Amino acid sequence: MIIRPVKLKDFAALMNLEPLPNQKHFASNFESTYPNRKPHEDYFCIEVDKVLVGFFYFDRAYSHTHTFANPKDLGVRNLLIGKGHQRKGYGRKALERMAMIAQGRYPEYRTLCLTVNKKNVAGYNLYVTSGFEDTNKLYSGGDYGLQHVLRRAL
């Protein structure tokens, strides 16, 4: 698995990635997120055997828009593994590599921070079994209800 910054040549493949129907409330596709990106958001693609299987982005200004976040929290947003690539361990492996990438590229941050919807039990379990800890705080700013706030030290 390779995780690298998104390039223009990746757009067509990334636009074809979709979540499973029951995940549409929890992760957005590339086509709906990337055109609205902010200067503080860094998009990365997840590649396996030269095939793009997913993407996510780091939010360097996470604490500016999320009151529960600390200035040393690097936000993890919209991890999506395409529906044809799920249940192969790619999400777990991406989360492991994500921490290493964050340590190398963003040494000023101390923690990865994200929210996961309370209704997204599979996503929650993936995050907590991949090193994220539940802060026992709930975030109410999501579009689809309450979300757990999770952190992982870098």
Side-chain angles (χ1 to χ4, degrees):
M1 174 179 287
I2 297 169
I3 297 178
R4 60 174 174 74
V6 168
K7 298 176 184 173
L8 183 60
K9 69 176 184 149
D10 302 322
F11 284 23
L14 291 172
M15 284 191 204
N16 286 323
L17 295 175
E18 293 287 335
L20 288 168
N22 65 338
Q23 299 169 337
K24 288 189 184 279
H25 293 292
F26 309 134
S28 299
N29 63 20
F30 185 78
E31 189 172 7
S32 64
T33 62
Y34 192 80
N36 301 312
R37 71 193 180 285
K38 310 280 188 304
H40 53 83
E41 296 171 346
D42 301 326
Y43 277 70
F44 288 81
C45 56
I46 302 163
E47 182 179 325
V48 176
D49 297 329
K50 300 188 185 212
V51 174
L52 297 183
V53 301
F55 77 96
F56 67 92
Y57 61 96
F58 286 126
D59 184 347
R60 291 177 279 111
Y62 200 64
S63 66
H64 297 191
T65 55
H66 296 81
T67 57
F68 58 80
N70 302 314
K72 296 290 183 180
D73 287 346
L74 179 62
V76 176
R77 316 256 336 242
N78 206 82
L79 172 61
L80 171 69
I81 303 296
K83 63 184 176 185
H85 305 288
Q86 292 188 16
R87 313 237 10 118
K88 298 177 182 179
Y90 299 154
R92 186 173 316 281
K93 197 171 203 176
L95 288 168
E96 292 169 7
R97 300 235 173 132
M98 190 183 291
M100 291 186 289
I101 291 166
Q103 288 170 332
R105 290 181 73 101
Y106 308 100
E108 65 275 25
Y109 293 95
R110 299 288 172 252
T111 311
L112 293 178
C113 189
L114 58 83
T115 63
V116 61
N117 193 286
K118 285 188 73 165
K119 298 171 189 162
N120 186 357
V121 176
Y124 177 86
N125 289 335
L126 173 66
Y127 290 123
V128 297
T129 59
S130 298
F132 283 81
E133 295 179 11
D134 192 333
T135 65
N136 294 314
K137 294 180 184 174
L138 293 175
Y139 173 60
S140 61
D143 294 335
Y144 194 60
L146 290 175
Q147 299 185 29
H148 298 278
V149 176
L150 307 179
R151 283 196 170 85
R152 178 179 177 167
L154 294 174

